[in-house]
């Protein structure tokens, strides 16, 4: 049934008048009569009994009126929900976020919850490379990784920040007072690294290849704090982004910044090209505002 015809019919019955329905809907009375006749043709039965100025519903008319009210109420709710989603007053969003990067996002989460309390936000924690794949295959709309992302997945990226990498090792590993360490100096040193499914490890292995040496990996773990503990125990050198040196490093440790080349740790959002939901765009706006202010 035509929704407009149904609306005109329901309003006519509600007001019990073609004239008043026409005034309420800002159309002519002849338009109301035409639409009601059209609805009766579509229903294949008479819906209204016209007795002078009085109107009465037939049995089928009562069914159409009751269900018509339900349908129109549903359409009003739909329109309101669409409006709320467009104005970011409600919605759903899942963000893929790797371990460690999540430490940067506590203020973002707080700001997002305060600004958009009606958006149901879910955080999916996984490694950067796994999140890239989930975004590429549509499981997650938007996620976070460490650049460079896998070029084969053809994802859109937006860098959040860029930080240098530091080398952490047991006290006395590096020359006293040393502040920097050439990347090539890692050649031959035992390293404790994240497992290969982490985006940072992918970047480091590419850097080792570009520098022309094979890393001596003493151990790998998916836990950042365990890497620091192993470094502190003298098992090897751990490589950490600058923001987390103070958070994770404790005890007698040497910390030097990697140079020549300086390897940037660049957390970034990734998503498929094309449409982004209003909730996802709201998330990006809050990230830019909060993290941009923090960087500034």
């Amino acid at each position: 049934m035509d929704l407009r015809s149904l609306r005109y019919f329901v309003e006519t019955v509600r007001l019990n008048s073609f004239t008043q329905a026409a005034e309420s809907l800002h159309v002519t009375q002849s338009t109301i009569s035409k639409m009601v006749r059209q609805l009766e043709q579509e229903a294949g039965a008479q819906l209204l009994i016209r007795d002078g100025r009085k109107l009465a519903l037939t049995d089928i008319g009562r069914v159409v009126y009751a269900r018509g009210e339900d349908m129109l109420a549903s359409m009003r709710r739909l329109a309101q929900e669409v409006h709320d989603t467009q104005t970011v007053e409600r919605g759903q969003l899942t963000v893929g976020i790797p371990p460690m990067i999540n430490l940067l996002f506590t203020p973002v989460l707080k700001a997002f919850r305060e600004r958009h309390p009606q958006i149901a936000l879910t955080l999916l924690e996984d490694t950067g490379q796994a999140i890239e794949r989930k975004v590429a295959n549509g499981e997650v709309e938007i996620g976070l990784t460490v650049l460079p992302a896998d070029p084969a997945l053809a994802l859109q990226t937006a860098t959040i920040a860029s930080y240098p990498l530091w080398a952490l090792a047991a006290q006395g590993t590096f020359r006293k007072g040393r502040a920097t360490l050439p990347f090539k100096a890692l050649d031959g040193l035992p390293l404790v690294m994240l497992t290969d499914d982490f985006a940072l490890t992918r970047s480091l292995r590419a850097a080792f290849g570009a520098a022309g040496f094979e890393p001596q990996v003493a151990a790998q773990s998916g836990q950042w704090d365990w890497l620091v503990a192993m470094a502190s125990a003298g098992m090897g050198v751990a490589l950490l982004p600058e923001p987390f040196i103070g958070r994770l490093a404790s005890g007698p440790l040497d910390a030097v910044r990697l140079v020549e080349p300086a390897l940037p740790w660049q957390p970034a959002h990734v998503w498929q090209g094309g449409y982004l939901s209003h909730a996802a765009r709201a998330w990006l706006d809050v990230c830019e505002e909060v993290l941009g202010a923090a960087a500034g």
Side-chain angles (χ1 to χ4, degrees), residues 55 59 81 83 183 227:
L55 300 175
D59 290 344
E81 289 177 13
H83 174 267
F183 186 77
L227 294 183

Side-chain angles (χ1 to χ4, degrees), residues 10 16-17 40 96 98-99 108 115 129 139 150 160-161 172 174 177 181 189-190 192 201 227 268 279 283 295:
V10 167
N16 196 35
S17 167
E40 288 178 323
V108 173
R115 190 166 307 173
Q129 293 186 78
E139 290 181 56
D150 185 349
I160 296 166
F174 307 124
L181 184 73
L189 291 178
V192 289
T201 302
L227 294 183
W283 169 264

Side-chain angles (χ1 to χ4, degrees), residues 11 15 17-29 32:
E11 190 70 359
L15 296 173
S17 167
F18 283 91
T19 302
Q20 291 184 41
E23 292 175 354
S24 172
L25 295 169
H26 307 290
V27 295
T28 64
Q29 184 172 333
I32 296 289

Side-chain angles (χ1 to χ4, degrees), residues 43-61:
Q46 186 177 355
L47 303 178
L48 283 174
I49 299 171
R50 302 159 180 81
D51 182 10
R53 293 187 176 182
K54 294 182 179 181
L55 300 175
L57 288 168
T58 65
D59 290 344
I60 295 176

Side-chain angles (χ1 to χ4, degrees), residues 166-169 190-193 224 227-231 236-240 245:
W166 286 61
L168 270 66
L191 302 178
V192 289
M193 298 174 57
W224 291 81
L227 294 183
V228 175
M230 287 190 282
V237 178
L239 306 175
L240 291 179
I245 298 299

Side-chain angles (χ1 to χ4, degrees), residues 131-143 153-158 269-277 280-281 284:
I131 287 170
E132 290 173 27
R133 293 190 293 270
K134 290 179 187 294
V135 171
N137 65 28
E139 290 181 56
V140 179
E141 181 179 10
I142 193 167
L153 299 178
L155 297 173
Q156 299 293 313
T157 64
H269 281 106
V270 290
W271 66 91
Q272 294 187 44
Y275 177 78
L276 267 181
S277 69
R281 294 187 182 280
L284 289 175

